[in-house]
Amino acid sequence: MPPNTSEPLLELATCSISFGGLKAVDSFNLQLFPGELVGLIGPNGAGKTTVFNLITGVYKPSAGQIRFGGKLLNGKKPYQITACGLARTFQNIRLFGNLSVEENVKIACHLHYQTSLFGSVWKGKAYREEEARQHQKIESLLEVFGLKQLSREKAAGLPYGQQRRLEIARALATDPKLLLLDEPAAGANPQESRELMALIRWIKEKFKLTILLIEHDMQVVMGICERILVLDYGETIAHGKPEEIRKDPKVIEAYLGEEAV
Amino acid sequence: MKRLAAFIGFFLLFLLANRFLPEIIDPYYLHLFTLSCINVILAVSLNLINGTTGQFSLGHAGFMAVGGYTSASLTFYLGPKIIATLDFLPAILAKNFVFLFALLGGGLSAAFLGLLVGIPSLRLRGDYLAIVTLGMGEIVRVLILNVEAIGGARGFSDIPAYTNLFWIISLTALTIAAVASLTASSHGRAFLSVREDEIAAEAMGVNTTYYKVIAFVIGAFFAGMAGCLFGHYLQLLHPNSFTFLKSFEIIIMIIVGGLGSIFGAVVAAVILTLLPEALRYLGPVKDWRMVIYSLALIILMITRPQGLFGNWTPDFRRWWPFRKPQPVA
Amino acid sequence: MQEFLQQLVNGVSWGSIYALIALGYTMVYGVLQLINFAHGDVFMLGAFFGFYFSRWTKIAQEPTLFGFFATLLFAMAACALVGVIIERAAYKPLRERPRLTALITAIGVSLLLENGGQLLFGVDPKFFPSLISETRLYESANLVISNLPVIILVVSLALMLLLRFIVMKTTIGKAMRATAFNREAAALMGINTNNVISFTFLLGSALAGAGGILVALTYPKIDPLMGLLPGLKAFVAAVLGGIGNIPGAVLGGMILGVSETMVAGYISSTLRDAIAFALLVVILLVKPTGLLGSRVGEKV
Amino acid sequence: MRKWIIFGLALSLSAGCAKRDDVIKIGEYGSLTGTTATFGVSTKNGIDMATEEINAAGGLLGKKIQVIVEDDRGLADEAASAVKKLVTQDKVVAVLGEVASSRSLAGAPICQENKIPMVTPSSTNPEVTKKGDYIFRICFIDPFQGEAMAKFAFENLKVKKAAILKDSKNDYSVGLAQYFAETFKGLGGQIVAEESYFEGDQDFKAQLTSIKGKKPEAIFIPGYYTEVGLIARQARELGLNIPLLGGDGWDSPKLTEIATLKKPGDALKDCYFSNHYAADDPNPVIQDFIKKYKAKYEEVPDAMAVLGYDAAHILYDAIKRAGSPEGAKIRDELAKTANFPGVAGQTTIDSARNARKPLVVLKIGEGGAYEYMATVNP
Amino acid sequence: MTDNNFILEVKNLCVFYGGIQAVKDISFGIKKGEIITLIGATGAGKSTTLRAISGLLKPREGEILLEGRSLKNIPPYEVVKKGISHAPEGRKIFANLTVRENLELGAYLRRDKPAIGQDMERVFGLFPRLKERIKQNAGTLSGGEQQMLAIGRALMSAPKLLLLDEPSLGLAPLLVKAIFEVIKEINAKGVSIILVEQNAYQALKIAARGYVLETGKITMTVTAEDLVTNEELRKAYLGG
């Protein structure tokens, strides 16, 4: 099944977590290889976002192991996990609403910031050089996402679609190897969805990313994912190429329904 | 190099101010200026915790008290000994050296308390954090009441009058400059991200734990120095000066100024220090002073809920005449 | 042993006063998420309303049970009115604003009531008439139980049950909970959220008024700043129990009262407040939402 | 409109008054608002009465006295602001205030620096007058009252085991308690319990229960009447029926009013406190003062009013003797004050600028009436 | 536009959020018993229009007429009384209340107990899942169940006109289908419905007309037939 036989970039082995007795994710396994674009789908409450939260350290798994590039992620804080090269977006957009577009992205750059607290108060030469470098990086990122003209706007004031894009741009500013996208197409109309698909494909090549994607929009999922995992009630019910998933009777019954095919 | 020259320039300027201002300006106005500056330091430092980092702290008076009492103990008990060993220096230098030592001692002790108070902020949010910081402040006050060596309920009197205009002006300038510079840097944006959305900040690689605690530490450090200036100005520290009402006063300043705006905090600190004093000149309705003060506060909040300056900070560099012209975007 | 029992009685009766005031705090907080710092001052007004009412009506001279209830009702009604006026004038314009703004306004209202009270009632303490005279319910060499603390305890518990009933079982209670959860959605249900909020203030302030009278009976020295400290402590009690939670307010009040008493009685009376606050800090560190408070975990 | 014109006229008139040279300006600072406002207001009443008396009798040095009052909200930094304003803006010739030692300590250095005499009516902390030779006090200092009551308890009441309940937030109370304990132990007595409360507290049962368990024969409560009334009630409610002792902070008509269980003042029956004067003293100075005070303020004066009244009179007397509103001269005359016939006793200022005067011990009897017990000379 | 058949008419509506104009001079109408749908990209002003109708936002200009009478300056809780019920975007159910209490709140203004009971049974008829969970706190429901509850709650006020804001948002395809079935069923019982949808294809299939909004303006009025005939349209807004 895996497209190549190299070491997996991300590996979840029998991960479980429950909330108040309810198994949200049960013995979940996932192997993600460098350069892949994998989709994670399933009905509401199936535990998709929980998987993201496990990977990014928001929740601690009650059992199982999470490895990234061979390194164990269990017990690491979210910011440490991000520092390993893992970035995400959120289902309900979580931008820094009162800050400008530029500042939003700059905060994500902070991860690789060298200047000390004192240095940034004194604002010496090294500081200014670093700020300049940071500024350049951000400029080019915003350019790519078509947000450059808006860089002084308050993030909360942007239209929804641009907020979604800004969130992805912000995640990219942490220089990730793996990008986790949580329903990037939610609320987009078909036209916007198509643009988004193109964008995702493009950044994947440009930034040499591996991408894991949660999405309800079947056009997007089927259109860009190389592999798809289907979750229901915390368990993986199907796994395969898009065309296989589309025909899987279990998936149709639990999730897709007859007509959507 | 230019920066260093500017520092030396300011140093000399402040020394001159210290020498000549008292002769030009009415002592009462000088007194109000001093109190305003102390409140400016308090407001700007609290603004870093409360406005920039979004940690609702009601314990600033506690930091001020710890800084004030620590520094007063240093100058009162250790000061004479240090001055005696520094007898090769002119007396005025020795005195000011002791005061610098006391300022640092006061600031650092408050910063240590800030570290202790910062730790609960990792688990607590909003009103719960507010009440814990308030509790910490009250604990500090009650403990001070119980220590006879620093005066207990009688207050710590006979503190040497080391605070002068030079220290007042330079520490106020330092506080504003340091906090403003920090806020405008990448670290400053990390503070802001904690305020805006902690979960997203963590996901973007910001160590929110570190920034929350460090905000408390830095804020407390400056508040501690303010306490030191306060004690060595009044020559007296009394536990009653550091009740939760004092913390409320500082909170009011930063919100009236506009939460998060350093410029607003400075202006509001000055206005709110001067207002009760200005109301002394009301004449026949002088008894209504505090009623008018509280009414003014309510009306201001209703008519300008975002504070006087909202989030706005003027770009002072724009007014700097020697600035390099920037390319028009 | 009897001394310990006596201290327990002292603590419970002191705690029930915290509980009584904390109930009003918690009500308002539950619906508006506003720390109504003026609550302690409305409590003070309750005592003063009762004081002047009982003097003007001459109830003070010849106390009767009827007179007591008349005074109580008058104080509750007057405080309810004041509470609604405060809400409409000072808090309502800030409803859509950040909570800190409303909090500062609340501090402003509190300062206004305190300073205005000092101008209006004078700064000297007043003696509150004994509308109900102190009698001893139980007495031995080392254990005395009087009627007033028992009355306060019973009233606090009764009010707690009543409030819980109102909030959980009645239509207005449902409307209150809906308003608390999401004001806009509540309005879409046809709930006049402004009225619901005013009603909450009315209820909370009436409670404060009743508290003022009951406390003034037991501690008959009243002055315009009498609400400051009990107000703060009651707020601490409400947070301790989990703010917004009605039984939590009573539990928090009791814990605070008993622990303060025990600390003062057995450890050190100078450290009483320090230890009370230390207890608060420890409890909140262990359970960050207070003893009975619950918070729906933030959805990521 | 007319109202506004009158208001404007009144304003300009009052402003005009302030500028005239035919007044002697005296500054007064005190807590007119805040938690200790009741003491500041009483003091102000006493000062106002003394001022009116002098002005009615033709004033001082041919001029009227104008007292400029500034509120300090009970805060040390505001006290400093108030004194700074009085001294440098209003250019007062002398300052009266403050009740609390902490605020006097904040104001004193400013007066000293500007060579303006300051007379505090009731700050008992010995440190206050050590601030300089322009700072005076006309009340007892802590050791005197504490020692006197300790002696009275041990010798007159034959108490061997005493307890102390002090206000830890109040330096006056802490000071008295300290000297009481030292003297009482020196005499051979035993302090079985030392408990404390904070000004503004309402419930004292925990401390009282604990004290009760130690079985003392008397409790020394050197607090203010604002709390002592409640303490007495609660002590009796707990069945603690031993004498309570206190200092001049007790002296107020409110005390016995609050300490009422069944009959007025019954919770304090057979309790003792030290005071400046006895209300039943036939001395005309005292009787006259009480009568006039009652007529003016419709209540019985408390200790603060008496001390404010005396402080003002002692200051005015010194100005009269100095013959000039000059600070140094007033200071010299204040220092020479001897056997001034104040309401609060024959006052003499000693070389440390503290007052030396006798105190009286009063007993609270039936219906809250005070009975004279003894006079103690310094 | 004086047709008395219109249950609701919107005339020249302009709505501002702060300084930003979210809705620019739009007019449309819905007849008794109709379903109409507002479609368009996020931020086009669809939700804003609904919020103006239900009184949550005050229009700066224009008129909203319910059965010929203006709704100007009528607060949201009065609008409910007049027969408009709004199931807002993001469901906004009361998570700390039980399912039953949520439904009861929907009928907050009604005093006719027996009829309320009947209506509740009807809601359970439409959504049997809700009946199973009647005593649960609404916060514990899954996303789909919460959406059912939001619609059911809106029905409890026995509205003449139902405003549904993105009922299919974030739902699995299977559930989306079910929800649209229910919407048809509700309409069949005589309730007029204004439906705001991302899923324009599904929405237009059950609606009489669709109004396409673009940056606050109505740019087109479309019907289900247009899906077949207008290629441009299909590409731009309706997908596939």
Side-chain angles (χ1 to χ4, degrees):
Chain A
M1 180 74 58
N4 55 43
T5 47
S6 65
E7 279 288 298
L9 181 65
L10 177 75
E11 186 176 14
L12 275 79
T14 60
C15 282
S16 304
I17 186 171
S18 42
F19 299 111
L22 196 82
K23 284 245 176 203
V25 171
D26 195 12
S27 293
F28 182 73
N29 291 303
L30 170 72
Q31 283 192 326
L32 212 58
F33 294 89
E36 271 195 305
L37 206 172
V38 174
L40 193 57
I41 64 172
N44 296 90
K48 304 183 299 287
T49 298
T50 309
V51 169
F52 269 28
N53 286 335
L54 284 175
I55 298 173
T56 54
V58 176
Y59 299 147
K60 309 261 168 284
S62 50
Q65 288 183 330
I66 305 168
R67 284 174 192 282
F68 182 73
K71 244 192 305 185
L72 196 64
L73 292 188
N74 293 45
K76 279 207 159 92
K77 295 249 176 66
Y79 77 92
Q80 291 167 323
I81 291 172
T82 309
C84 292
L86 240 148
R88 72 177 290 184
T89 66
F90 294 89
Q91 184 177 8
N92 42 346
I93 304 177
R94 299 190 86 117
L95 289 168
F96 306 118
N98 290 313
L99 306 184
S100 72
V101 168
E102 194 181 4
E103 283 172 314
N104 263 280
V105 186
K106 272 188 177 170
I107 286 167
C109 290
H110 185 68
L111 183 60
H112 304 291
Y113 201 69
Q114 303 292 330
T115 316
S116 67
L117 271 173
F118 184 76
S120 64
V121 172
W122 180 248
K123 297 207 180 341
K125 191 160 172 247
Y127 166 86
R128 275 171 291 164
E129 280 172 6
E130 179 156 34
E131 284 281 312
R133 272 202 307 277
Q134 213 189 43
H135 191 72
Q136 214 156 26
K137 177 177 165 189
I138 288 159
E139 288 279 284
S140 59
L141 248 176
L142 288 179
E143 182 96 68
V144 167
F145 283 84
L147 295 166
K148 200 176 166 192
Q149 271 70 41
L150 302 167
S151 65
R152 302 271 156 154
E153 299 286 320
K154 237 174 144 186
L158 294 185
Y160 189 80
Q162 280 170 339
Q163 290 195 12
R164 281 266 174 228
R165 283 219 296 277
L166 175 57
E167 228 196 355
I168 300 174
R170 188 181 66 173
L172 287 178
T174 64
D175 296 336
K177 294 191 205 87
L178 173 65
L179 186 61
L180 307 173
L181 299 174
D182 200 343
E183 296 203 30
N189 66 27
Q191 174 69 28
E192 291 168 334
S193 294
R194 277 195 298 274
E195 284 167 18
L196 184 81
M197 281 159 70
L199 183 73
I200 292 175
R201 279 199 202 99
W202 189 80
I203 56 168
K204 179 172 172 273
E205 294 312 314
K206 171 98 200 284
F207 296 94
K208 303 196 171 40
L209 292 172
T210 310
I211 294 177
L212 183 62
L213 177 86
I214 295 177
E215 191 49 73
H216 273 306
D217 189 327
M218 281 307 117
Q219 272 182 336
V220 175
V221 179
M222 299 294 173
I224 58 172
C225 291
E226 294 150 15
R227 279 197 295 146
I228 293 173
L229 266 88
V230 187
L231 239 68
D232 193 18
Y233 291 112
E235 285 179 63
T236 313
I237 55 168
H239 179 200
K241 292 210 167 68
E243 49 278 16
E244 296 166 358
I245 294 295
R246 209 192 288 265
K247 290 180 198 123
D248 192 311
K250 270 206 293 201
V251 180
I252 291 172
E253 196 210 319
Y255 183 56
L256 293 177
E258 307 284 338
E259 245 173 78
V261 186
Chain B
M1 216 48 219
K2 254 176 17 197
R3 224 166 275 264
L4 203 64
F7 260 79
I8 293 170
F10 276 118
F11 183 78
L12 293 174
L13 188 70
F14 294 162
L15 275 182
L16 282 177
N18 184 44
R19 172 70 185 80
F20 292 109
L21 275 188
E23 287 174 19
I24 310 166
I25 297 177
D26 186 289
Y28 176 56
Y29 297 143
L30 223 46
H31 167 78
L32 295 182
F33 175 76
T34 304
L35 290 185
S36 302
C37 282
I38 291 172
N39 280 336
V40 164
I41 298 177
L42 289 170
V44 170
S45 59
L46 180 64
N47 200 27
L48 180 70
I49 302 174
N50 226 324
T52 310
T53 319
Q55 303 300 300
F56 188 9
S57 166
L58 277 180
H60 223 51
F63 298 140
M64 189 189 174
V66 166
Y69 272 92
T70 309
S71 60
S73 315
L74 288 175
T75 52
F76 188 81
Y77 289 111
L78 283 182
K81 283 178 206 156
I82 300 174
I83 290 179
T85 50
L86 290 174
D87 54 359
F88 52 90
L89 283 177
I92 181 151
L93 271 185
K95 245 172 51 183
N96 281 298
F97 176 78
V98 169
F99 192 49
L100 178 66
F101 173 65
L103 273 169
L104 288 176
L108 290 175
S109 59
F112 180 71
L113 181 71
L115 184 69
L116 289 184
V117 177
I119 291 168
S121 74
L122 308 181
R123 268 178 75 77
L124 298 167
R125 253 154 240 191
D127 302 324
Y128 292 94
L129 177 63
I131 212 71
V132 162
T133 51
L134 184 137
M136 292 270 198
E138 287 293 291
I139 291 172
V140 165
R141 198 176 54 81
V142 175
L143 291 182
I144 290 172
L145 274 171
N146 279 282
V147 183
E148 267 311 309
I150 52 172
R154 287 167 172 249
F156 198 153
S157 54
D158 279 336
I159 302 171
Y162 285 162
T163 301
N164 57 29
L165 266 184
F166 169 74
W167 288 112
I168 286 285
I169 300 178
S170 36
L171 282 181
T172 310
L174 178 78
T175 308
I176 297 173
V179 173
S181 179
L182 184 63
T183 312
S185 74
S186 189
H187 290 285
R189 287 188 289 274
F191 286 124
L192 284 172
S193 73
V194 174
R195 176 188 82 188
E196 291 292 312
D197 188 330
E198 262 183 58
I199 288 170
E202 278 273 323
M204 290 309 118
V206 175
N207 184 349
T208 54
T209 307
Y210 172 77
Y211 282 101
K212 279 199 264 183
V213 173
I214 215 76
F216 270 100
V217 168
I218 296 175
F221 177 76
F222 286 114
M225 293 213 290
C228 174
L229 289 174
F230 182 76
H232 290 82
Y233 178 66
L234 285 188
Q235 303 172 46
L236 167 81
L237 286 169
H238 197 276
N240 283 0
S241 304
F242 305 107
T243 59
F244 62 93
L245 293 173
K246 180 72 192 172
S247 300
F248 280 8
E249 246 172 58
I250 312 169
I251 285 271
I252 289 173
M253 285 171 193
I254 61 172
I255 292 181
V256 164
L259 198 60
S261 161
I262 294 175
F263 182 70
V266 172
V267 174
V270 173
I271 290 179
L272 289 177
T273 313
L274 298 186
L275 184 62
E277 289 300 316
L279 291 176
R280 288 191 192 282
Y281 293 91
L282 277 177
V285 284
K286 202 166 147 182
D287 290 351
W288 292 73
R289 189 169 75 110
M290 292 323 289
V291 174
I292 293 171
Y293 175 85
S294 38
L295 265 178
L297 185 65
I298 297 170
I299 292 170
L300 182 76
M301 280 293 103
I302 291 175
T303 49
R304 259 197 94 74
Q306 71 276 43
L308 288 173
F309 297 96
N311 229 333
W312 181 74
T313 300
D315 188 3
F316 287 112
R317 276 172 303 180
R318 213 187 303 168
W319 303 336
W320 182 250
F322 312 112
R323 149 192 104 102
K324 273 182 273 175
Q326 290 202 341
V328 182
Chain C
M1 186 60 207
Q2 281 217 321
E3 186 183 323
F4 178 78
L5 278 181
Q6 179 71 61
Q7 293 290 30
L8 201 63
V9 170
N10 296 342
V12 168
S13 61
W14 184 232
S16 53
I17 285 172
Y18 284 151
L20 197 57
I21 310 174
L23 279 173
Y25 257 120
T26 264
M27 284 285 295
V28 168
Y29 188 92
V31 171
L32 263 188
Q33 276 79 50
L34 168 74
I35 305 173
N36 180 18
F37 269 114
H39 190 75
D41 300 297
V42 175
F43 157 83
M44 171 275 289
L45 284 181
F48 271 93
F49 284 139
F51 174 75
Y52 286 113
F53 180 80
S54 65
R55 281 226 308 210
W56 286 330
T57 54
K58 313 266 185 234
I59 288 170
Q61 276 89 327
E62 283 172 58
T64 56
L65 201 61
F66 170 77
F68 164 71
F69 279 111
T71 310
L72 187 71
L73 282 179
F74 175 80
M76 288 174 78
C79 283
L81 184 69
V82 170
V84 172
I85 291 173
I86 292 174
E87 192 271 322
R88 288 274 150 137
Y91 302 151
K92 194 178 159 211
L94 295 169
R95 193 100 14 103
E96 306 306 324
R97 293 296 183 163
R99 288 177 43 211
L100 270 179
T101 314
L103 184 78
I104 297 300
T105 315
I107 295 177
V109 172
S110 163
L111 287 175
L112 181 68
L113 293 181
E114 283 161 15
N115 290 304
Q118 290 207 332
L119 271 185
L120 212 63
F121 308 131
V123 294
D124 55 324
K126 309 257 183 303
F127 173 68
F128 194 85
S130 318
L131 300 177
I132 293 183
S133 57
E134 175 99 32
T135 49
R136 289 177 185 180
L137 300 177
Y138 174 85
E139 190 172 1
S140 71
N142 285 316
L143 181 61
V144 178
I145 301 174
S146 315
N147 57 343
L148 287 174
V150 175
I151 292 176
I152 293 185
L153 178 65
V154 171
V155 170
S156 312
L157 291 176
L159 284 177
M160 177 189 85
L161 293 176
L162 178 70
L163 284 181
R164 185 128 179 105
F165 175 79
I166 290 178
V167 169
M168 299 312 287
K169 300 285 174 208
T170 64
T171 308
I172 183 86
K174 242 180 287 163
M176 282 162 85
R177 281 185 289 153
T179 306
F181 189 78
N182 187 318
R183 226 171 285 148
E184 201 174 279
L188 289 180
M189 299 300 107
I191 297 168
N192 185 339
T193 50
N194 283 332
N195 287 353
V196 169
I197 289 170
S198 291
F199 176 76
T200 311
F201 266 85
L202 186 139
L203 214 57
S205 303
L207 282 181
I213 299 285
L214 289 173
V215 172
L217 281 178
T218 332
Y219 306 98
K221 184 202 77 174
I222 62 172
D223 66 74
L225 298 182
M226 66 184 278
L228 194 63
L229 275 177
L232 185 75
K233 292 284 190 62
F235 171 55
V236 167
V239 174
L240 197 60
I243 192 156
N245 183 302
I246 291 169
V250 172
L251 180 68
M254 289 298 170
I255 289 180
L256 196 64
V258 171
S259 60
E260 277 191 3
T261 305
M262 290 299 168
V263 167
Y266 290 103
I267 303 175
S268 155
S269 41
T270 44
L271 290 176
R272 184 173 87 168
D273 283 13
I275 293 179
F277 276 109
L279 177 84
L280 171 86
V281 171
V282 169
I283 288 184
L284 285 187
L285 283 182
V286 175
K287 192 150 187 320
T289 51
L291 290 170
L292 299 185
S294 61
R295 190 168 36 184
V296 185
E298 200 180 356
K299 218 171 168 217
V300 182
Chain D
M1 195 58 209
R2 271 244 306 274
K3 251 189 213 163
W4 283 105
I5 293 173
I6 294 168
F7 181 71
L9 275 177
L11 254 182
S12 52
L13 252 174
S14 63
C17 273
K19 284 201 185 70
R20 279 202 324 246
D21 261 355
D22 55 350
V23 294
I24 292 184
K25 283 197 246 175
I26 305 289
E28 179 197 343
Y29 70 112
S31 49
L32 302 181
T33 58
T35 47
T36 51
T38 177
F39 310 125
V41 169
S42 276
T43 308
K44 180 177 176 294
N45 288 347
I47 293 175
D48 284 353
M49 226 175 98
T51 311
E52 274 171 35
E53 283 172 18
I54 298 287
N55 281 341
L60 268 183
L61 314 174
K63 297 173 185 176
K64 291 267 189 263
I65 301 170
Q66 186 196 358
V67 178
I68 300 168
V69 191
E70 291 299 344
D71 172 28
D72 60 27
R73 292 196 284 151
L75 299 171
D77 47 336
E78 279 234 15
S81 300
V83 175
K84 206 99 182 188
K85 183 207 170 238
L86 289 169
V87 170
T88 67
Q89 302 302 295
D90 301 319
K91 312 254 186 255
V92 298
V93 302
V95 171
L96 288 165
E98 226 274 2
V99 174
S101 300
S102 57
R103 269 104 71 186
S104 290
L105 281 170
I110 299 165
C111 291
Q112 179 64 29
E113 193 187 328
N114 290 285
K115 305 209 183 315
I116 300 291
M118 172 179 137
V119 181
T120 165
S122 49
S123 292
T124 54
N125 185 339
E127 291 295 322
V128 173
T129 45
K130 289 185 192 158
K131 282 288 168 194
D133 57 350
Y134 281 83
I135 315 300
F136 297 85
R137 105 173 81 219
I138 61 114
C139 57
F140 320 120
I141 52 174
D142 298 341
F144 182 44
Q145 277 196 88
E147 283 164 22
M149 283 318 284
K151 276 189 195 143
F152 180 81
F154 192 82
E155 285 162 7
N156 299 38
L157 298 178
K158 312 284 181 227
V159 171
K160 298 286 171 288
K161 290 200 287 181
I164 293 175
L165 181 56
K166 66 182 181 207
D167 177 355
S168 294
K169 218 167 136 186
N170 189 317
D171 44 3
Y172 157 81
S173 188
V174 172
L176 252 62
Q178 181 192 337
Y179 293 107
F180 178 90
E182 279 172 18
T183 313
F184 195 74
K185 279 187 250 173
L187 290 168
Q190 199 190 345
I191 304 289
V192 292
E194 189 161 351
E195 296 287 336
S196 55
Y197 62 91
F198 288 145
E199 162 226 330
D201 279 358
Q202 287 183 306
D203 190 86
F204 310 90
K205 285 191 183 137
Q207 294 94 318
L208 289 169
T209 303
S210 169
I211 286 174
K212 191 181 174 193
K214 307 274 171 44
K215 304 204 177 358
E217 295 154 35
I219 311 174
F220 183 55
I221 310 172
Y224 284 118
Y225 62 87
T226 40
E227 278 81 35
V228 171
L230 288 178
I231 294 175
R233 284 176 65 96
Q234 289 170 27
R236 303 315 181 214
E237 279 168 28
L238 288 170
L240 193 57
N241 295 314
I242 52 176
L244 310 178
L245 314 172
D248 58 344
W250 281 29
D251 183 22
S252 165
K254 298 283 174 195
L255 177 72
T256 45
E257 201 181 329
I258 295 165
T260 295
L261 289 170
K262 300 257 180 313
K263 284 177 287 174
D266 56 354
L268 277 168
K269 193 164 169 294
D270 296 332
C271 291
Y272 305 85
F273 69 101
S274 54
N275 200 8
H276 308 272
Y277 70 103
D280 55 354
D281 191 329
N283 183 343
V285 177
I286 293 171
Q287 292 310 323
D288 196 38
F289 169 75
I290 295 177
K291 209 173 76 197
K292 278 198 283 184
Y293 194 92
K294 269 189 191 160
K296 188 165 160 60
Y297 299 108
E298 292 172 348
E299 59 181 19
V300 180
D302 59 10
M304 299 300 162
V306 173
L307 291 170
Y309 180 81
D310 271 10
H313 267 311
I314 288 172
L315 175 65
Y316 299 156
D317 190 56
I319 296 174
K320 198 158 100 193
R321 279 182 281 136
S324 137
E326 216 175 298
K329 287 190 183 151
I330 299 173
R331 175 202 57 183
D332 292 345
E333 289 304 326
L334 271 173
K336 284 184 213 152
T337 302
N339 293 324
F340 182 87
V343 176
Q346 299 265 323
T347 309
T348 300
I349 302 288
D350 66 13
S351 58
R353 295 171 302 285
N354 293 326
R356 289 168 59 82
K357 55 180 186 177
L359 63 72
V360 293
V361 178
L362 301 178
K363 177 186 176 183
I364 301 174
E366 203 64 50
Y370 297 163
E371 292 164 26
Y372 170 81
M373 294 299 290
T375 300
V376 181
N377 283 302
Chain E
M1 295 274 258
T2 44
D3 192 335
N4 279 341
N5 266 342
F6 278 124
I7 182 164
L8 187 93
E9 253 188 287
V10 172
K11 287 182 179 170
N12 308 98
L13 185 73
C14 295
V15 189
F16 284 74
Y17 270 119
I20 304 156
Q21 185 166 11
V23 167
K24 299 167 186 164
D25 192 24
I26 66 169
S27 304
F28 63 87
I30 173 170
K31 291 192 188 121
K32 276 196 183 101
E34 265 186 340
I35 299 181
I36 64 161
T37 174
L38 305 179
I39 49 185
T42 9
K46 307 183 302 282
S47 295
T48 310
T49 307
L50 289 199
R51 289 164 62 83
I53 294 172
S54 61
L56 290 173
L57 291 173
K58 278 208 169 70
R60 186 169 295 184
E61 273 165 55
E63 254 190 318
I64 300 166
L65 302 174
L66 178 69
E67 295 175 323
R69 272 179 309 233
S70 172
L71 289 179
K72 196 169 185 148
N73 286 331
I74 294 182
Y77 48 87
E78 295 284 338
V79 173
V80 181
K81 208 184 261 176
K82 292 186 187 300
I84 299 180
S85 193
H86 182 175
E89 189 181 7
R91 298 156 203 161
K92 306 273 166 61
I93 54 140
F94 302 114
N96 53 343
L97 273 66
T98 63
V99 169
R100 174 188 284 279
E101 284 172 329
N102 266 280
L103 292 175
E104 282 169 355
L105 275 172
Y108 182 74
L109 290 174
R110 293 171 62 188
R111 294 287 170 264
D112 45 343
K113 276 233 166 115
I116 295 175
Q118 279 173 15
D119 278 357
M120 200 177 290
E121 283 310 314
R122 254 185 36 210
V123 170
F124 290 146
L126 290 172
F127 303 111
R129 287 279 277 282
L130 292 183
K131 191 163 190 178
E132 292 164 28
R133 297 175 192 269
I134 187 157
K135 282 184 184 152
Q136 271 186 25
N137 266 5
T140 63
L141 300 184
S142 75
E145 288 162 346
Q146 290 190 4
Q147 187 62 61
M148 294 174 198
L149 181 58
I151 296 174
R153 191 181 61 177
L155 283 175
M156 287 300 292
S157 67
K160 299 178 214 159
L161 175 63
L162 184 62
L163 313 179
L164 291 177
D165 200 345
E166 308 253 7
S168 74
L169 185 70
L171 293 190
L174 203 58
L175 267 176
V176 173
K177 220 181 98 191
I179 292 279
F180 275 97
E181 286 302 320
V182 172
I183 294 173
K184 265 201 303 207
E185 225 174 301
I186 293 167
N187 180 245
K189 293 195 175 118
V191 180
S192 315
I193 296 172
I194 301 181
L195 181 65
V196 159
E197 256 303 329
Q198 279 300 326
N199 198 333
Y201 184 75
Q202 292 272 23
L204 270 183
K205 274 210 302 202
I206 59 171
R209 289 183 299 294
Y211 296 93
V212 178
L213 269 85
E214 245 179 295
T215 59
K217 282 189 220 127
I218 292 182
T219 51
M220 251 188 283
T221 309
V222 293
T223 56
E225 287 93 81
D226 294 327
L227 288 180
V228 188
T229 55
N230 193 335
E231 180 74 19
E232 246 342 78
L233 182 76
R234 201 161 69 207
K235 265 226 148 98
Y237 292 104
L238 309 175

